């Protein structure tokens, strides 16, 4: 039983080690800052890891945008637009962001 637990624990750790994080995905050109304040895949056929990452990041951003909107008397959409402007300013060279028309631009 102990060996079985160690085996499953080691597999779990190895999967976690290969999980993609936002910085890695941006560095690899897989995701970028979308013009609505969220992240989105840059490629037309993102991997399941990229899809999962985007969903996780955007879920957190949605929650944050709602809180900010309530506390500042804005809509979540307005907060997203403001977040996009800030994200573009902070986007590192070589990373992607969407312009107002939805085109991906490499900074």
């Amino acid at each position: 039983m102990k060996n079985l637990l160690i085996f499953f624990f080691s597999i779990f750790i190895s999967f976690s080690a290969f999980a993609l994080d936002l910085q890695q995905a941006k560095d690899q050109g897989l995701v970028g800052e979308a013009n609505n304040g969220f992240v989105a895949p840059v490629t037309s056929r993102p991997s399941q890891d990229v899809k999962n990452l985007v969903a996780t990041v955007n879920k957190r951003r949605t929650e944050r945008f709602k809180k900010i909107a309530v506390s500042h008397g804005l809509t979540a959409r307005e907060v997203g637009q403001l977040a996009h402007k800030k994200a573009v300013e902070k986007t590192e060279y070589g990373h992607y962001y969407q312009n107002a028309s939805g085109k991906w631009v490499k900074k």
Side-chain angles (χ1 to χ4, degrees):
M1 180 69 164
K2 184 178 177 182
N3 289 340
L4 186 61
L5 288 174
I6 292 171
F7 173 74
F8 282 116
F9 184 70
S10 64
I11 288 176
F12 175 74
I13 289 174
S14 66
F15 281 128
S16 297
F18 292 114
L20 191 63
D21 71 22
L22 184 57
Q23 186 63 43
Q24 291 169 331
K26 286 182 173 184
D27 289 345
Q28 295 174 30
L30 301 172
V31 300
E33 294 291 338
N35 59 13
N36 58 4
F38 295 100
V39 294
V42 174
T43 61
S44 60
R45 291 185 165 178
S47 69
Q48 191 59 47
D49 282 346
V50 170
K51 290 178 186 177
N52 292 341
L53 174 68
V54 167
T56 300
V57 170
N58 287 341
K59 181 180 177 186
R60 281 189 234 135
R61 287 188 182 188
T62 297
E63 293 167 3
R64 192 175 321 139
F65 290 175
K66 286 179 183 177
K67 288 179 184 177
I68 293 170
V70 169
S71 67
H72 288 83
L74 300 168
T75 66
R77 183 176 180 188
E78 290 170 324
V79 174
Q81 291 170 341
L82 293 170
H84 174 257
K85 288 178 185 176
K86 202 167 221 177
V88 169
E89 291 171 8
K90 291 183 176 184
T91 295
E92 296 177 21
Y93 289 101
H95 290 189
Y96 288 92
Y97 67 92
Q98 269 185 334
N99 64 17
S101 65
K103 181 181 178 196
W104 287 108
V105 178
K106 191 173 191 177
K107 190 169 186 183

